[in-house]
Amino acid sequence: MASLLLLGLVPVLFALGMSIGGKYAFLVSGTQDGKPRPWLVWLAMATMLVIRLLLAASMEGYRNDVHTFQAWAVRAAENLSGFYSGGFFADYPPGYMYVLFLIGKLKELLVLPDGGSGFLALIKLPAIIADMLTTFLLYRLANLRFGKKAALAVALMYGFNPAVILDSAVWGQVDAVFTLFIVLSIFFLTGNHLASSVSWFVVALLIKPQALIFTPLLLASAIDRLLLQPVNRMWTRILVAAAAGGLVFMVGVAPFALEEGTLWIFSHYRATLTSYPYATVNAYNLFALSGANFTNETASWLFFPYRSWGTFFIVLATLFAFRVYFCASEETRLYLMGMFIIAAVFIFSARMHERYLFPVLIFALLAALYAGSMQLLVIFTGFSITHYINVAHVLIASTRGITHIPGNDPLLLGTSMANLLLFLYMLRCIAGSWSDQEGRLLPE
């Protein structure tokens, strides 16, 4: 019964809240009347934090991930530079190991037992902090455009989003951490601060290799600047930005490279990116809809291997993403492009895990914010619900010892179809925006 409530009632309540909160945010947008008291903002943030901490301490989450992070934290605290030595399993890049090093040291300082709720909450704390910082950043951006009243409503949409809370405070994953740095990278990119943008992007890449999905955003921006500005001056700025990113990368990798070798990091990324060679890993997408959950990516589907289809779709998505950038308005294009490319890669690429859709939530909400579009708010709501169902379904199944969702599972098939339909609706919204000279999405 509890599982049914989690999978059914929570998305319904969120959709109801969005239908009210979303309309309210856009109705009051552009006005400064009736500003909320400052304490309301802090009360909302405090409530978000308390809810997350209570859930983090009381719910184990996805056992394999949580226990892995705990083991990594203990090992990092004992010997950070030698963390990867001795055949120890660690498929994450070095960036998050610095965070786990601090977690491990804090555990030692507080004398927390391995199996206690304190260590459980502590291991989830970085993702919770990332949630809070992302929510506050969203509030500040919305405040600049809409004013405090609408900004509070928009922040509530993200901060109390069940899909966001589930990923960090319940499951115990760190998608929120690398997503925060991706958003910071795009924020600085929109402000024409290339060196800062590339540096934050590299930080995200050092935390999770999935940051590579957003590389086309930086490439499109670089090409755009080369076309519009004097070539010599722009090349200088791009080279400075690349040097800044390279410096951040080298500093992040250096302590581990002393133990593992200079080129070790590249083989480590390659091993991570080629792990889980399946058409889909509990990700409810096109390949899951074809019945290929945990099917080897070399298996054939419609005459070609799933891996080949995934590569084809990534190339196609990247080309279309460039068109999104160059056809949309300057204010919205990076957020629209980010929303599109993460959704496209998740739905049409191989080796996707159930949580990899997570960044689409913040990009869809930012795109809706800057485009002033209720249509994009519908997309944000839709992906919030499908992402929640996907992650919650897998998490609940894991508590019963089930790690591979059957390919004929009705919820898997239904959610996969919903994601595909949401993607097609998103394409319609993006294409519609190109027919408006100001780049704003067409009214419903």
Side-chain angles (χ1 to χ4, degrees):
M1 180 61 70
S3 299
L4 291 176
L5 287 175
L6 280 173
L7 288 173
L9 184 59
V10 172
V12 170
L13 291 176
F14 176 71
L16 180 62
M18 281 298 303
S19 67
I20 298 171
K23 292 286 186 182
Y24 174 81
F26 282 96
L27 284 173
V28 301
S29 64
T31 70
Q32 296 293 327
D33 298 331
K35 294 180 182 179
R37 297 178 185 273
W39 62 266
L40 280 176
V41 177
W42 295 113
L43 177 62
M45 295 291 290
T47 304
M48 295 174 196
L49 179 60
V50 169
I51 289 174
R52 283 169 165 80
L53 291 176
L54 290 174
L55 289 171
S58 61
M59 302 189 73
E60 183 183 24
Y62 194 80
R63 180 174 300 177
N64 290 346
D65 285 354
V66 170
H67 288 186
T68 297
F69 287 141
Q70 289 177 331
W72 288 354
V74 171
R75 182 176 175 86
E78 292 174 349
N79 182 13
L80 180 62
S81 62
F83 179 85
Y84 293 98
S85 301
F88 184 75
F89 169 77
D91 57 350
Y92 271 42
Y96 199 65
M97 301 314 158
Y98 291 104
V99 178
L100 291 177
F101 167 79
L102 297 176
I103 295 296
K105 288 298 184 183
L106 191 55
K107 174 187 181 293
E108 293 177 357
L109 180 65
L110 299 175
V111 196
L112 297 176
D114 289 344
S117 60
F119 191 27
L120 178 62
L122 192 60
I123 210 71
K124 297 178 180 179
L125 188 59
I128 292 173
I129 293 174
D131 277 350
M132 303 308 298
L133 291 175
T134 303
T135 302
F136 186 71
L137 176 62
L138 184 60
Y139 171 80
R140 294 296 300 271
L141 293 174
N143 182 31
L144 292 174
R145 182 173 180 83
F146 284 161
K148 287 184 170 59
K149 203 169 185 179
L152 177 58
V154 171
L156 294 178
M157 294 176 197
Y158 190 82
F160 285 113
N161 190 319
V164 176
I165 296 173
L166 179 67
D167 192 282
S168 56
V170 181
W171 183 295
Q173 255 295 340
V174 298
D175 302 286
V177 180
F178 103 91
T179 298
L180 169 63
F181 292 114
I182 289 293
V183 172
L184 285 173
S185 174
I186 303 309
F187 171 74
F188 281 104
L189 193 58
T190 58
N192 206 27
H193 302 291
L194 298 186
S196 297
S197 174
V198 174
S199 297
W200 286 120
F201 178 82
V202 171
V203 172
L205 181 60
L206 284 169
I207 293 172
K208 294 201 80 170
Q210 284 75 37
L212 289 170
I213 295 171
F214 297 95
T215 304
L217 278 70
L218 298 181
L219 292 177
S221 183
I223 293 171
D224 183 37
R225 284 163 170 76
L226 284 172
L227 292 175
L228 295 179
Q229 299 185 26
V231 174
N232 292 337
R233 179 184 174 188
M234 200 60 239
W235 268 116
T236 301
R237 294 191 62 199
I238 290 175
L239 290 175
V240 169
L247 180 61
V248 171
F249 187 81
M250 287 188 292
V251 169
V253 171
F256 305 94
L258 292 175
E259 295 277 345
E260 304 300 321
T262 306
L263 300 179
W264 153 84
I265 186 61
F266 300 105
S267 60
H268 184 73
Y269 271 109
R270 183 173 63 252
T272 300
L273 291 170
T274 55
S275 60
Y276 300 100
Y278 302 106
T280 175
V281 185
N282 288 331
Y284 297 174
N285 56 17
L286 176 65
F287 294 161
L289 192 61
S290 74
N293 193 31
F294 276 95
T295 297
N296 195 288
E297 64 180 359
T298 59
S300 292
W301 179 61
L302 299 179
F303 308 110
F304 296 100
Y306 282 101
R307 181 171 56 194
S308 298
W309 279 115
T311 302
F312 170 74
F313 285 131
I314 286 177
V315 172
L316 201 63
T318 302
L319 293 175
F320 189 83
F322 274 91
R323 185 176 181 187
V324 171
Y325 179 90
F326 287 104
C327 291
S329 71
E330 184 175 354
E331 191 175 29
T332 62
R333 59 191 181 185
L334 281 169
Y335 300 117
L336 284 171
M337 186 180 183
M339 174 188 69
F340 168 80
I341 200 160
I342 185 62
V345 170
F346 177 83
I347 294 172
F348 297 104
S349 180
R351 301 181 184 175
M352 291 293 106
H353 292 234
E354 64 285 311
R355 306 173 328 277
Y356 286 6
L357 187 62
F358 181 85
V360 81
L361 305 181
I362 185 64
F363 275 98
L365 192 52
L366 285 169
L369 176 67
Y370 282 98
S373 168
M374 284 299 298
Q375 291 176 317
L376 289 177
L377 204 59
V378 170
I379 293 171
F380 165 75
T381 305
F383 277 133
S384 295
I385 293 172
T386 59
H387 182 63
Y388 175 87
I389 292 173
N390 192 166
V391 175
H393 190 208
V394 174
L395 179 59
I396 291 170
S398 73
T399 63
R400 301 168 182 161
I402 302 171
T403 56
H404 298 187
I405 305 299
N408 61 351
D409 184 274
L411 198 56
L412 176 150
L413 296 173
T415 308
S416 299
M417 177 59 73
N419 275 331
L420 187 59
L421 293 175
L422 278 168
F423 181 82
L424 294 175
Y425 180 67
M426 181 180 67
L427 285 181
R428 176 183 176 274
C429 293
I430 292 174
S433 71
W434 298 339
S435 63
D436 183 32
Q437 292 181 352
E438 295 182 1
R440 292 175 59 84
L441 297 184
L442 296 176
E444 295 177 290

